[in-house]
Amino acid sequence: MRDTSARMLALLSLLQSRPDWPGPELAARLGVSVRTIRHDVARLRELGYPVDAETGRAGRYRLGVGASLPPLLLDDDEAVAVALGLRAGTGLAGTREAGERALAKLDRVLPHRLRRTVAALTEATARGPENTVSDAPDPEVDPALLRAVAEAIRDRTALRVAGADGPARLLEPYRLVSWERRWYVVVRAPATGTWTVLRADGLELRTPGGPRFSPVDPPEDLTDLVLREVATAGWSVHARIVVAAPASEVLARINPAVGVVEPRDAHSCVLVTGADSVATVAAYVGMLDLDFRVEGPPELVAQLRTTGERYLRAVSD
């Protein structure tokens, strides 16, 4: 880096990225001598940046705590992550106005290409209800992959996705969904018209991408599709229950992750739900506090009979 100003900004960015740097490593990163690093650190101090140093042949450097906040230097992935986090957090009680101000400041300084990327991710992404608390580590998703999918959704460009045992598949992306600390992609196979939910952390994109496509109307809300597909994949028991209430009333009482409601008429609907056991389904259906009739499976009917008799014994004299 021959330009001193550019080199000093790069040095400041490196100092912000981790607590401690050996002088030779900084010099190697910037392609200069250790002596130049010492001079640049001195210039940063003259500009008011508190850079601490350990004496020695090469020295070690760290960015100290100052009286004011120094300019924050972010790479592309960091800037996009911060912008998305601010957009997601602006609805939090007590922080909305501060978050909106910070986001406005960041938007003003983002390069045009990154503003387009953030806008594409925001428009392409939906969020499901966050209910699960888990100590399991979150799966790693490459930010570049999320950006590529979001931009393909924005530009209506098909993706070439690596197949497990064969050639790459051509898929049309429609929605990114963040749910339960996972990222999912809703895609449509143009050859068959089939809609599929894919885990983003398992995707491998091939380049170049596919051709542009003309979008078609999805068969249902795509966020609901993800919730149902992901939830039902883990069910051991699947049940169909006719509920004596309008679909709108049942929808207001359930979590979208634990059932799908199919309207029948103005006074009834079908709840498709499931769980790990019939006992869990029986308890869950009872919590609706509505009249219902089980269409299947027979094991659920038997479980409800057993549960009903147990409740009657609990209140008998």
Side-chain angles (χ1 to χ4, degrees), residues 228-249:
R228 187 184 74 250
E229 291 292 320
V230 175
T232 57
W235 289 346
S236 300
V237 177
H238 295 74
R240 285 181 61 87
I241 300 161
V242 179
V243 184
S248 58
E249 184 174 353

Side-chain angles (χ1 to χ4, degrees), residues 81-91 99 103 107 110 115 118-119 122 127:
V82 171
L84 290 177
L86 286 170
R87 289 187 190 277
T90 51
L103 182 58
D107 280 342
L110 282 177
R115 279 204 301 271
V118 171
T122 303
R127 297 183 66 186

Side-chain angles (χ1 to χ4, degrees), residues 246-261:
S248 58
E249 184 174 353
V250 176
L251 284 169
R253 298 184 182 215
I254 71 168
N255 185 319
V258 294
V260 176
V261 178

Side-chain angles (χ1 to χ4, degrees), residues 69-274:
L69 184 67
L72 187 62
L73 303 177
L74 304 172
D75 62 27
D76 287 4
D77 287 345
E78 292 168 344
V80 170
V82 171
L84 290 177
L86 286 170
R87 289 187 190 277
T90 51
L92 297 177
T95 66
R96 179 173 181 175
E97 290 186 5
E100 289 177 347
R101 290 198 305 271
L103 182 58
K105 292 177 181 178
L106 183 59
D107 280 342
R108 283 196 294 271
V109 298
L110 282 177
H112 177 67
R113 58 186 175 80
L114 291 187
R115 279 204 301 271
R116 280 176 51 81
T117 296
V118 171
L121 278 164
T122 303
E123 294 168 4
T125 302
R127 297 183 66 186
E130 302 291 340
N131 298 310
T132 299
V133 177
S134 173
D135 294 330
D138 296 341
E140 292 292 330
V141 180
D142 185 358
L145 182 142
L146 294 180
R147 293 202 306 269
V149 172
E151 290 166 357
I153 293 172
R154 178 195 65 201
D155 299 336
R156 303 301 186 189
T157 303
L159 300 171
R160 294 188 187 278
V161 178
D165 302 311
R169 295 174 293 164
L170 193 66
L171 300 173
E172 300 170 350
Y174 277 77
R175 176 68 70 184
L176 275 167
V177 176
S178 171
W179 182 45
E180 298 290 6
R181 301 159 62 186
R182 304 287 188 272
W183 283 93
Y184 302 93
V185 186
V186 182
V187 297
R188 177 180 176 272
T192 62
T194 304
W195 295 81
T196 309
V197 177
L198 303 176
R199 280 271 295 266
D201 55 294
L203 279 183
E204 183 179 346
L205 302 183
R206 299 298 193 199
T207 55
R212 293 178 66 88
F213 65 91
S214 298
V216 300
D217 292 333
E220 60 180 298
D221 180 85
L222 295 180
T223 304
D224 290 345
L225 172 65
V226 171
L227 300 186
R228 187 184 74 250
E229 291 292 320
V230 175
T232 57
W235 289 346
S236 300
V237 177
H238 295 74
R240 285 181 61 87
I241 300 161
V242 179
V243 184
S248 58
E249 184 174 353
V250 176
L251 284 169
R253 298 184 182 215
I254 71 168
N255 185 319
V258 294
V260 176
V261 178
E262 302 172 354
R264 286 185 55 170
D265 53 45
H267 306 291
S268 67
C269 61
V270 175
L271 172 62
V272 181
T273 186

